[in-house]
Amino acid sequence: EYQQNVRIPVAGTVRRTANGMLPYRLGKDDVELAAQQPNPLPDSPEILKEGKRLYELYCDHCHGSTGQADGLVSPVFAGVPSYTAAAQKDLSEGHVFHVITYGIRRMGAHGSQISAENRWKIVKYVKQLQSK
């Protein structure tokens, strides 16, 4: 019997977020594969503005307002990298997203605190900081 207004997902499909993004399913050790992932968000002033706002909430205290590892608490966490350091400046957006998601060395994971869409926005802003 057919029931109206019953939505059953098609077998084999993957549920997307309200904004149409797929869930992030790479594991902590999949950084090389993550580095190949493109940022699904477009380059736009609105995305960068929101990325900056989110960066100021979650990242500025360690990485600093210009990404030079001069945030207020960076002396406590020795080893905070500058975004323009040789080892950091050419990292792909997918790599940066993965690091925000799972953390690295002394940096904690932020995947449970920041939605995937917002992490991609922060990545856009970080890449802008690196270009300066």
Side-chain angles (χ1 to χ4, degrees):
E1 177 179 323
Y2 177 76
Q3 293 179 328
Q4 279 188 315
N5 299 324
V6 175
R7 297 180 130 190
I8 300 173
V10 176
T13 60
V14 177
R15 183 177 180 171
R16 293 176 182 257
T17 67
N19 291 329
M21 295 185 75
L22 290 169
Y24 191 66
R25 295 183 178 218
L26 295 180
K28 181 172 176 55
D29 295 328
D30 295 330
V31 70
E32 289 181 25
L33 186 57
Q36 300 171 28
Q37 303 300 309
N39 191 325
L41 300 178
D43 289 326
S44 73
E46 296 81 20
I47 296 287
L48 284 173
K49 181 179 179 184
E50 181 64 4
K52 179 180 181 187
R53 185 187 75 78
L54 293 163
Y55 178 90
E56 289 170 348
L57 284 173
Y58 295 104
C59 314
D60 187 289
H61 56 279
C62 284
H63 293 283
S65 62
T66 61
Q68 297 302 308
D70 58 353
L72 291 175
V73 299
S74 64
V76 176
F77 298 104
V80 175
S82 165
Y83 294 143
T84 56
Q88 311 303 318
K89 67 178 182 162
D90 294 326
L91 295 175
S92 71
E93 291 188 32
H95 183 109
V96 175
F97 178 87
H98 193 78
V99 169
I100 295 169
T101 302
Y102 288 109
I104 190 169
R105 292 180 285 284
R106 296 186 81 177
M107 178 178 158
H110 288 75
S112 65
Q113 297 171 297
I114 309 169
S115 72
E117 182 176 0
N118 285 344
R119 292 191 309 266
W120 284 119
K121 290 175 182 178
I122 291 169
V123 169
K124 287 284 186 193
Y125 184 70
V126 167
K127 295 309 281 186
Q128 182 185 57
L129 288 177
Q130 287 179 318
S131 68
K132 292 182 179 182

